[in-house]
Each structure stands twice: as structure tokens, then as C-alpha cells.
Amino acid sequence: MASKSTFRTTESNPQKKGPTTVAKRLDVGRSWRTYAKHDLMSSFIGEEVGVVNHGLRDRERLAWIDLTAGDAAPVDGAEWHHGCSPGILAHHATGRHSNKPVGIFLHEIQPATYDRLLGNLAHHLPDYGFTQEADNIWRIPERRIMICAQNQSGQDADISFIGRTDAVFVLNDPNAITEWAMRDKFAQEIGRITWCFRSLSTMGCNPAGLKRLEREERLHWFTFPDTQEKALPRYRDLILAAIDRDEAQWAYLLSTSEKWRDKTEAVFQAAFEKCGRTTAMAWLRKNPDQFAETKRTLFLTKKELREGAYPALPFEEAS
């Protein structure tokens, strides 16, 4: 995610054209939330490396897709390998615990941000043993590690390179939920190719007073987690972790193994305890009512919640 962005929208789908009524500076990339988020990313990617290399013998490659790479500039006071998502991915791909091939695919929609991304990658990646092969491609041939950057929206991310023996992890870290970068069918598309697929999405539901948007626009936000719910295989679960007492109402959506519930909750708790915060966590399959209520709290205003002005959710309609 880039360090700062200007947010202008009246709609919940940034891919559509329309009038603008809100113009705010979103100060992202420099708050306490960013450091906790990078802790989460590093923990879950490190977990992926350990499990795939030492537990899942049938997985031949790790494929990591960053839908919102930003400029790869580290946040203040952080080293590159822990201060931005491309740095975190490069660090874990080249670590001593990783001995399988790794493909890292970075997407950045803004041309100016993409130019800075290329510059930062060219500056930092040689320290990790990478050789630049093209303007947007770096490799460590002897370890079969590759990084490819694209000036492209994550909504248009190509997945034709994914194979049935890949272990796929996707990062979706937009500046706000209105800039959601994962297309509706993305999880289903990957799930049809390989069963080994996880994703981490960040959901900024009220930065710069975003919930002042019209209710009809915010109702579209429910589709973002809903599409992942529909694509969820029986052996996976979704956790929605919302930061307590956060006026910007940031939350994190992770698809992961049902067997890892306790370990996953501990990772969220540890990341935010460093910032003096706690998180409210709900699992889709373990407690669907609590999961649905967390979504409503994030996407709807207090007035709408009091009045019950929210749509029926899929599992409620089926009950």
C-alpha cells in the first residue's frame, strides 16, 4: 500500500465511473496500524513458508500475489524487509527456511507509484541476491525465485501462471475499502486450480469519515467478504478481526485452516498488543452470527444499526 493517497469517491466500486463528492487525504502507511499490519503479513507469510516447505510435500512452488504493492518504501523506523509488503515477501522468499521455488507477483495501479516501486525494488533487491532481468523482473536463478511487477490494477490480476501444485497466498491491502483490489470471482478462480490458497485483506471502513457515504453505496461492501465466503472450501474458515476503539474502523479478513484458529487468534492479539490495542475476532464457520454482526458494525452507521437498516445476509436467507 502506498504511503499516502487522495481519496475521492461517492461510490463503493472504484472501477466504475461517477461523480465525486468526498475529497480527503488518507494518511495511510504512517499510523500505528501500519506497523501492526506488517507484523501480521510477516507472521502469516512466514507461517506459509514453514508449512509448505516442511509439511506439504506435494506443493512444488509458493506463488504470492500482492494486489496492492504500493511503492515499496518502508514506513518510518522500519527496515525494508519489515516495512512494506514487497520487502516482507522478498525477505521470506530468500530466507533459510525456504527451499522451494517462489514466484512473487506485484500489482500497482498508479503509474507514478509504480515508477517508485520499480526504483525501490532495484535499490533493495540486490541485497537479497536478486539480479535484474528486465525493467520489472528480478530473479535468483539458482534458487528459482522470481519477482515480477506490473503497472496494473489488482482487479485485473492474471492467474494463468498458477498450477495445481502451487501454494498461493494473496495480499489485498487497499488504502480504504472503496479501493478494494480483489475481483469478485478471484478466490473462486484460484480455488478451481489449487486447493492450497489463502488470502489476507485489509478493510479500512471509516478512514477520513468514509461512512458518510450513502447507505446504498456502503451496502456494496458486504459483497467483498461474501465472495470469499462463497469460495471457501469445507476445510477452511474466515476470520474477521476488527480493531477495538478505532475511529477509522480497520479490520482484517483472513482465510486459513480451521485447525489453525487458536494460532491465528494469537497472531492478531500479539500484533495489536504492541500498539496497546485489542481486536474483536469472529470466525465465519465457528460463529456465523458474530461474523455477520461484525460486518454490520464495520459497514453500517450507529444509527442504521439501531434502526435495523441492514440487508439480510446469505446464511440468514437460507435459514
Side-chain angles (χ1 to χ4, degrees):
M1 184 170 65
S3 58
K4 285 193 177 182
S5 172
T6 301
F7 168 68
R8 296 174 178 272
T9 187
T10 60
E11 58 190 3
S12 53
N13 185 349
Q15 304 302 312
K16 296 179 181 179
K17 303 296 183 181
T20 61
T21 59
V22 180
K24 293 285 185 180
R25 293 296 297 184
L26 294 181
D27 292 324
V28 294
R30 292 293 182 268
S31 77
W32 54 267
R33 302 175 194 88
T34 305
Y35 297 91
K37 174 190 69 182
H38 288 156
D39 278 348
L40 294 176
M41 288 182 179
S42 188
S43 293
F44 292 131
I45 293 296
E47 180 180 71
E48 190 83 356
V49 169
V51 170
V52 173
N53 277 277
H54 306 292
L56 299 177
R57 303 298 182 183
D58 65 331
R59 298 298 95 186
E60 297 179 358
R61 181 182 67 160
L62 297 102
W64 299 339
I65 305 172
D66 189 341
L67 300 176
T68 48
D71 60 10
V75 295
D76 299 337
E79 296 182 79
W80 191 70
H81 72 269
H82 199 72
C84 62
S85 59
I88 291 168
L89 296 174
H91 168 70
H92 284 288
T94 57
R96 61 185 177 88
H97 297 295
S98 181
N99 53 42
K100 290 186 178 181
V102 183
I104 300 174
F105 306 88
L106 308 175
H107 301 79
E108 173 49 48
I109 188 172
Q110 299 295 338
T113 306
Y114 177 72
D115 288 344
R116 295 197 301 274
L117 170 64
L118 294 182
N120 281 315
L121 292 174
H123 177 71
H124 289 284
L125 287 179
D127 294 339
Y128 295 80
F130 284 90
T131 299
Q132 189 164 2
E133 183 177 284
D135 287 346
N136 65 329
I137 298 175
W138 291 260
R139 293 185 190 273
I140 305 179
E142 64 275 17
R143 296 191 61 184
R144 296 173 295 169
I145 302 173
M146 185 271 292
I147 294 179
C148 177
Q150 296 287 339
N151 183 195
Q152 181 185 50
S153 168
Q155 289 272 353
D156 301 319
D158 178 31
I159 62 167
S160 62
F161 59 86
I162 294 176
R164 62 182 179 82
T165 58
D166 283 344
V168 180
F169 198 104
V170 175
L171 294 176
N172 174 34
D173 180 29
N175 288 331
I177 194 169
T178 47
E179 298 175 25
W180 191 260
M182 185 185 295
R183 63 179 175 269
D184 289 348
K185 300 294 185 181
F186 192 69
Q188 291 180 337
E189 292 168 16
I190 296 177
R192 285 195 290 265
I193 301 171
T194 176
W195 66 265
C196 194
F197 164 54
R198 297 201 296 163
S199 64
L200 174 66
S201 297
T202 65
M203 304 167 69
C205 300
N206 197 38
L210 200 60
K211 285 171 76 169
R212 293 196 301 269
L213 292 173
E214 293 296 326
R215 172 178 172 270
E216 287 70 22
E217 298 173 30
R218 286 180 284 108
L219 290 183
H220 179 71
W221 300 354
F222 283 92
T223 65
F224 300 146
D226 287 354
T227 55
Q228 294 196 42
E229 293 174 33
K230 294 173 183 176
L232 200 65
R234 58 179 176 76
Y235 46 83
R236 300 268 186 199
D237 204 349
L238 275 175
I239 185 173
L240 183 55
I243 305 174
D244 290 322
R245 308 183 319 280
D246 180 17
E247 64 180 13
Q249 289 194 277
W250 279 89
Y252 306 85
L253 184 69
L254 175 75
S255 60
T256 192
S257 171
E258 291 181 326
K259 298 178 181 179
W260 296 349
R261 285 191 183 117
D262 291 344
K263 181 167 58 175
T264 299
E265 290 182 12
V267 170
F268 277 107
Q269 289 168 349
F272 288 98
E273 279 177 1
K274 293 179 182 178
C275 308
R277 296 292 181 124
T278 57
T279 54
M281 292 176 278
W283 291 93
L284 172 66
R285 292 209 160 114
K286 186 178 180 181
N287 194 334
D289 291 340
Q290 184 183 7
F291 191 90
E293 185 60 28
T294 302
K295 288 192 294 185
R296 292 176 185 134
T297 301
L298 289 168
F299 301 158
L300 302 177
T301 65
K302 292 180 180 179
K303 182 175 184 291
E304 289 164 346
L305 289 169
R306 286 195 304 268
E307 295 174 351
Y310 48 77
L313 299 177
F315 68 83
E316 293 174 329
E317 293 172 348
S319 61

